[in-house]
Amino acid sequence: MPIYEYGCQACGHQFEKLIRNPDDLPKSCPSCGQPRLKKRFSTFAAKVAAPAGGCRNQEACPVAHTCRGGCCGGHG
Ligand SMILES: [Zn+2]
C-alpha cells in the first residue's frame, strides 16, 4: 500500500497520506488549503527498490528496505 509524503510549498506543512486509489490523492494542503503540494517521498517505492534476496515481508516488515532476512517472522 503506497504511502506518499507531501510537502506544501505555500506554508511548509508536511504530511503523509495513504493512497488506496486515485481519489485519495490530496488536492490541497490540509493546513492552509493551498493546492501547492509537492510529493516528497514514497515509502512504497523505497520498499519496492529493496535488493533482490531481501525481505519478502515487504508489507509488514518495519525494516524491509535493509532487511536481509531474520528481522521478522514473515520470511519463508
Ligand atoms: Zn499549506
Side-chain angles (χ1 to χ4, degrees):
M1 201 69 76
I3 298 174
Y4 294 112
E5 182 175 312
Y6 287 88
C8 175
Q9 294 180 298
C11 72
H13 179 68
Q14 296 184 16
F15 63 101
E16 293 181 345
K17 186 140 175 66
L18 178 67
I19 307 298
R20 294 186 184 85
N21 60 66
D23 288 340
D24 284 336
L25 292 170
K27 295 178 177 59
S28 61
C29 174
S31 179
C32 71
Q34 293 292 317
R36 295 178 58 185
L37 300 176
K38 184 173 185 179
K39 187 164 67 176
R40 296 174 57 84
F41 182 75
S42 169
T43 301
F44 180 76
K47 288 187 177 182
V48 168
C55 182
R56 298 186 203 174
N57 191 26
Q58 299 287 312
E59 291 297 322
C61 180
V63 291
H65 58 294
T66 55
C67 176
R68 297 293 184 277
C71 70
C72 58
H75 301 280

